[in-house]
Structures are given as structure tokens and as C-alpha cells.
Amino acid sequence: MPSIVRCYLKTALVMFILALGVGLVQNLGGILPFSPSSLTPVYFHLLMVGWVTQFILGVALWMLPKYSMEKPRGIQALSWAAYILLNIGLLVRAVGEPLNAYSSGLVWDWLLILSAILQWMGGILYVINAWKRVKVK
Amino acid sequence: MPRLSAWAVRLSLLYLLLGFTVGAIMLANKGIPFAPWIWRLLPAHIDFLLFGFVIQLAIGIAHWILPRYQGGSRGKETLVWGAISLLNLGIWTVSCISLFNLPGQWLVVGRLLEGTAAVLFASQAWGRIRPS
């Protein structure tokens, strides 16, 4: 299994554990100094983007038809860039969203915008590279 | 990869882009509100990613890699074409409800279309899931 695929899959597993950890914190209600309801979108996106989507993207990167004999997985730099942008974007959101809910109007607002741009670019780069590998045989 | 799978996978990649785009706009709007109406896109965001990306990709890949029948046939492809068509019709029906303020009954129509897609796909894939 190539290193890029291993990175996607192992990071997805870490996000899975992280998401369930956030889910646990969410249910600690009265014990915490902040409202755990602000963690709901973070929990959901760590689970659905960080775990489910990232795992799917990793497996697809591994098993889609080869682009060519020389470049079986297309332009690997695009897949690496997508991996980095997606995960940094997701983590920026995980930090920014609860802080934004706690006190908006500060730098946290811009963290959400940064996160949106990073994840969106990650998605675009992944699709650009994967698209060429989806071919009829 | 058969033509049908290529279509399903390409469609799913397009939905990934659509879903991420809608999600990014909603997240940015959460940071600095610029369009309160954007929240009407939430059902579309969910359906694009869950049904359009995840489920459609699973159908396309499953059709490609599940064991074939004797002679190399993948069974009645028309059933899977039907499943893909109904799934996409269902996704857009559900997505248009909040966007165009359609009556709630349309949600039943959308879910029925998606449910029928599941039945069509399951009936086609069932026979291919067997011991080797």
C-alpha cells in the first residue's frame, strides 16, 4: 500500500477516535465551563469528513484504475496537497467553531473562513487528480 | 471499470465538489454572516454528500468489483442504471424543497425515489454476493 494511501487511512482512523472523543465531551453537559452544544458540528464533521470521507478517499486513491504505468496514481502532489488542506482545514474548524460560538466577532470568525477555503480547495485538488483515473475499460 | 461504474464514480466526485462548495459557503457564513438564506442549503449539503457522494460511489464501486456471474456478466445493468437515475432524481427533489419552499410532501417523494433506488440496486447486487 503506497505511503499516501496509508496516510489517508491512518489519519482517518485518528479522526474516528478524535470524533468519538468529542462526542464524549459533548455529553459531559454540566461539568464543562462552556456549552457542549457548540461541539455538535465539530463532532459531526470529524466523523463524516475526517473519518468516513477521508477513509473513502484513501481507499479510492488505492484502488481506482491506474492513470498510467509511470504515474499509477496520477499527480501524487495533488493528492498530498488535498490531504494536507483537508486535514488542516478540519482541525482549524474544530478549534475555531467552539471558540466562535463562545465569543464571535473576533479572530475565530476568520478561522472559520480559512477552514472553509482550505477544505474546499482540498476537495477540488482531490477530484482533479481522481477524475483522470475514472475510465472505462 | 464498466461504463456504468465510471458514470456513478464521476457523478459521485461531482457531488463531492458540490457538497464541499455548499458546506464551505455555509461555514464561511457562520464566521462572517453575509447571506442568512444560505442555511436553506443545509438539506442539499447533506444529501449531496451522503447520497450523492458516499452512496453513489459505493454503488458504482460495488457494481464494478462484486463477483460476476458465469461468463463474466454483471447481471441486469438496467436495474443499476435505474437505481442511479432514481437516486439522483431523489437527491435533487430533496435538495430543491428548502431552496424553493416546496411543500413538505415533496420530501416523501424524494425519499421514495431514493428508497426505490436502494431496492433496485439491492435486487441486482444480491445474487452476486456469494461464496467464491
Side-chain angles (χ1 to χ4, degrees), chain A residues 56 97 110 120 134 136-137, chain B residues 1 10 21 30-32 57:
Chain A
I56 290 171
E97 192 144 19
W110 289 99
W120 182 67
V134 184
V136 180
K137 190 181 171 187
Chain B
M1 182 183 281
R10 281 188 182 144
T21 303
K30 205 182 254 188
I32 295 178
L57 185 73

Side-chain angles (χ1 to χ4, degrees), chain A:
Chain A
M1 193 182 273
S3 60
I4 182 144
V5 175
R6 291 201 309 271
C7 276
Y8 269 82
L9 300 187
K10 285 187 174 172
T11 311
L13 291 173
V14 171
M15 291 289 186
F16 186 27
I17 295 166
L18 200 61
L20 295 186
V22 172
L24 185 71
V25 172
Q26 239 190 322
N27 289 295
L28 293 177
I31 305 169
L32 299 170
F34 59 93
S35 163
S37 65
S38 63
L39 288 175
T40 305
V42 174
Y43 163 66
F44 201 74
H45 284 86
L46 283 174
L47 200 63
M48 292 308 296
V49 180
W51 158 233
V52 177
T53 302
Q54 185 157 221
F55 202 85
I56 290 171
L57 297 183
V59 172
L61 201 58
W62 183 27
M63 64 173 292
L64 280 177
K66 287 177 184 169
Y67 175 63
S68 68
M69 289 310 283
E70 299 78 31
K71 292 181 178 175
R73 266 162 284 281
I75 304 169
Q76 285 230 36
L78 286 178
S79 301
W80 277 114
Y83 165 78
I84 292 165
L85 290 169
L86 196 71
N87 284 291
I88 292 179
L90 196 56
L91 292 175
V92 167
R93 179 186 191 154
V95 173
E97 192 144 19
L99 292 172
N100 174 266
Y102 188 64
S103 73
S104 72
L106 298 169
V107 68
W108 326 129
D109 299 349
W110 289 99
L111 281 185
L112 294 188
I113 292 176
L114 176 68
S115 164
I117 294 169
L118 291 175
Q119 290 182 78
W120 182 67
M121 284 174 60
I124 287 180
L125 295 185
Y126 183 90
V127 171
I128 287 173
N129 198 36
W131 190 268
K132 295 173 289 185
R133 294 178 57 192
V134 184
K135 46 194 175 192
V136 180
K137 190 181 171 187

